[in-house]
Amino acid sequence: MSNGDLVISADFGTSGVKVGVVDHALTILARVTESYPLTLATGGVAEQAPEDWWAALAKAVAALHLEVPDLSERAGALVFSSQLCGVVCCDANGVALRPCLTWLDKRAAPLGKKLVGGFPEVHGYKAHRLLKWLRIANGAPAKNGMDPTAKMLWVKEHEPEIYAKTHWMVDVKDWLVHRATGEMTTCPESANLSWVMDTRLGREGWSEALCHMTGIDQRKLAPIVQADHVVGPLTAQAASDLGLRATVRVLGGTSDVMASTLGSGEVEDGALHVSLATSAWIAGFFPDRRISVAHSYATVTSGLDFRPLLIASQENAGSALDWVRSITGGAPAETAFADIGTPQKDDPFFLPWLAGERVPVDNDSLRGTFHGLSLRHDSNALRRAAIEGVALNLRWAMSKVAREKGAKTAGPLSIVGGVASNATFAQTLSDALNRDIRVCSARHAGMLGTATLAAPLMGWAASSTEAATRLKSRSSATFAPNPDRAAALTERANRLTKLRRHVIRSYS
């Protein structure tokens, strides 16, 4: 108890932070969600103020003190996970000089294309640059400019006065860890996705060659630390803000992708899970680096002994469902898809590319569409199409990822995230994939996965992955495919494949 017996786990997403108090049994004793604004504007702008993240955390922890009255004495560790691919420009003291360019920010798309393109070209990439990126980093920046590489260059080109004052260019979680400890660090996932990290076995670290090739100043990049590394205790100011002892230890933390992987319990090599929130991704650990240039996915180097973690991201999941919900009457999210009628043979098709797409086609200019609308279609038909469209989009991505050597394609598929708690969607995904679905701690898998990082420090388990395996048995629901519906969705998926080709061609 001198060092505390509870962990405070904070999972920072696009729209808010989920903060929980977790005990040795990985049970959430109390939890709070606090939102913060996202500024969207024309030209692809999607920004957040870093201080809003910290204010939301402080508000959430204050609420947790009411739920766990002795939290101040019992909290032993604070761990963060967060959205990836943000860029926060900080001065030498870690003060943000401008709002964060979040992962959704696409204003750097022209710079992204310029950075990677050129003759001779392979899949939209200049051949010799692509080869260097693949050899050193096991991937390359997305052409849509959403990766940190292009964002850093955008600040350098369009806001030179900010760039000149910038001492650190870091991701969301990195800024939070500094705000808590006064130490600036980054995690391997964030470093990898800046595409200036050497991810080769035994060489993990910033690559001077890639920094030179891209024009990224290596001096502005933070030291890379492991997810379970103790960065330091809380500063006096942070302890005061959070109402905690200054002896509370803060770990290096991780990305939302690895947090959800740990939270799903799928930590064996080749075991995949699907995370479904604003966006969606298929992820899983593999024993070595993997990449598909043609389908825009790869492994990134994770913060657990640099273990390769495959990530295949799709831009639209919950965001697409929320949009369809809003244009069809705006029913509450909890009930909007609960009673939408029986699927019909002539239901419209829906392509959920409302913010472009990444996997298995990397094209930020793609846009969504309903196809096959008729006068008889009503709001329920549009909602059925939306559920089906997101599920079949995931089927499309899974058909590529499942080809990877060692990928486990038998047995239940674990899903996590807010959309996973939607029973209509979970059943549709089961039918679309013709596979059993296991819903994990849907809305809190990221929080629990983040907490497992502190398990070795707290003496709860020998390793974070050992702790995570305990979560695999915690299913909130299971779904089995309906044979008739699975056959119908296979037929519709085949028709959708032809439609996709025409739509993709129209944007090329």
Side-chain angles (χ1 to χ4, degrees):
M1 284 292 291
S2 61
N3 287 323
D5 67 330
L6 300 177
V7 169
I8 298 175
S9 175
D11 178 23
F12 287 80
T14 305
S15 58
V17 58
K18 298 173 183 176
V19 189
V21 178
V22 182
D23 69 7
H24 70 283
L26 296 178
T27 299
I28 300 174
L29 303 182
R31 61 179 184 264
V32 177
T33 299
E34 290 292 339
S35 62
Y36 34 72
L38 172 69
T39 300
L40 300 173
T42 57
V45 173
E47 295 183 337
Q48 286 179 325
E51 286 293 344
D52 287 342
W53 305 327
W54 187 258
L57 174 68
K59 187 176 180 182
V61 174
L64 291 173
H65 280 292
L66 300 178
E67 296 290 324
V68 185
D70 54 355
L71 182 60
S72 296
E73 292 73 38
R74 296 182 65 187
L78 174 63
V79 198
F80 300 124
S81 61
S82 78
Q83 53 181 296
L84 277 168
C85 294
V87 171
V88 184
C89 297
C90 306
D91 67 14
N93 295 316
V95 176
L97 299 171
R98 67 171 326 282
C100 171
L101 285 76
T102 70
W103 68 274
L104 274 170
D105 198 295
K106 295 185 177 181
R107 77 188 85 176
L111 273 174
K113 291 182 175 67
K114 181 179 178 182
L115 175 67
V116 304
F119 181 83
E121 188 176 277
V122 179
H123 294 296
Y125 290 83
K126 191 171 184 177
H128 83 272
R129 285 192 160 208
L130 178 61
L131 289 173
K132 181 176 284 191
W133 264 312
L134 295 182
R135 179 172 57 85
I136 299 175
N138 193 51
K143 290 170 282 187
N144 61 17
M146 293 176 71
D147 287 343
T149 333
K151 290 175 176 146
M152 292 177 184
L153 296 175
W154 185 91
V155 174
K156 183 178 181 179
E157 180 174 317
H158 293 275
E159 297 180 350
E161 70 289 352
I162 295 292
Y163 185 82
K165 296 176 184 177
T166 297
H167 189 82
W168 301 108
M169 303 186 89
V170 294
D171 209 339
V172 175
K173 177 201 61 64
D174 310 334
W175 184 89
L176 288 160
V177 171
H178 180 275
R179 186 70 172 77
T181 67
E183 299 291 330
M184 194 66 80
T185 61
T186 191
C187 64
E189 300 101 288
S190 292
N192 196 155
L193 290 175
S194 70
W195 302 114
V196 290
M197 178 186 176
D198 192 332
T199 68
R200 290 174 290 183
L201 182 64
R203 303 187 186 186
E204 294 91 353
W206 296 117
S207 167
E208 185 177 342
L210 292 181
C211 285
H212 177 74
M213 186 176 80
T214 57
I216 301 296
D217 187 347
Q218 188 175 339
R219 295 170 298 180
K220 297 182 186 293
L221 305 177
I224 302 169
V225 301
Q226 294 291 301
D228 54 1
H229 171 74
V230 177
V231 176
L234 289 172
T235 65
Q237 182 61 57
S240 175
D241 291 346
L242 302 178
L244 299 172
R245 297 177 301 167
T247 54
V248 169
R249 295 155 291 180
V250 181
L251 277 63
T254 190
S255 63
D256 52 3
V257 179
M258 193 168 82
S260 73
T261 301
L262 294 170
S264 74
E266 299 290 2
V267 293
E268 295 181 6
D269 283 342
L272 300 172
H273 79 281
V274 176
S275 181
L276 297 147
T278 302
S279 59
W281 61 77
I282 302 166
F285 289 111
F286 279 81
D288 47 34
R289 301 193 310 179
R290 305 293 174 90
I291 189 167
S292 173
V293 176
H295 301 304
S296 303
Y297 69 80
T299 53
V300 300
T301 300
S302 78
L304 289 178
D305 298 323
F306 297 120
R307 192 177 173 197
L309 176 63
L310 185 143
I311 306 174
S313 282
Q314 294 194 313
E315 298 288 21
N316 311 272
S319 57
L321 297 181
D322 281 344
W323 176 79
V324 171
R325 177 180 63 85
S326 69
I327 67 167
T328 57
E334 295 76 15
T335 60
F337 297 97
D339 185 15
I340 54 178
T342 303
Q344 303 296 311
K345 286 187 176 181
D346 71 338
D347 273 348
F349 292 93
F350 177 60
L351 295 176
W353 304 330
L354 303 182
E357 191 53 284
R358 281 204 180 197
V359 174
V361 170
D362 180 15
N363 189 335
D364 69 297
S365 66
L366 286 178
R367 290 296 177 265
T369 185
F370 284 103
H371 175 79
L373 290 170
S374 73
L375 291 172
R376 66 177 297 273
H377 287 136
D378 58 10
S379 60
N380 280 342
L382 297 183
R383 291 181 186 183
R384 290 196 300 269
I387 289 280
E388 178 188 288
V390 174
L392 291 180
N393 208 47
L394 276 164
R395 170 181 167 137
W396 184 35
M398 185 66 80
S399 70
K400 313 303 181 185
V401 175
R403 297 175 187 174
E404 288 294 330
K405 182 180 178 181
K408 300 181 186 300
T409 57
L413 176 69
S414 297
I415 63 175
V416 299
V419 179
S421 62
N422 182 323
T424 304
F425 181 84
Q427 182 62 59
T428 302
L429 185 62
S430 176
D431 297 334
L433 298 177
N434 198 21
R435 186 173 176 183
D436 289 350
I437 293 293
R438 181 178 74 91
V439 181
C440 307
S441 300
R443 296 186 181 276
H444 307 295
M447 183 194 303
L448 286 169
T450 303
T452 66
L453 295 174
L457 173 69
M458 301 295 290
W460 298 348
S463 68
S464 299
T465 52
E466 180 187 309
T469 57
R470 303 174 191 171
L471 299 174
K472 189 172 181 178
S473 62
R474 300 187 188 178
S475 300
S476 60
T478 57
F479 296 84
N482 178 303
D484 291 339
R485 183 61 179 149
L489 282 177
T490 294
E491 181 181 342
R492 284 180 66 82
N494 292 336
R495 292 175 61 192
L496 192 59
T497 297
K498 298 177 182 178
L499 173 62
R500 281 197 198 99
R501 293 194 191 109
H502 292 296
V503 175
I504 292 169
R505 192 177 301 120
S506 73
Y507 283 97
S508 61

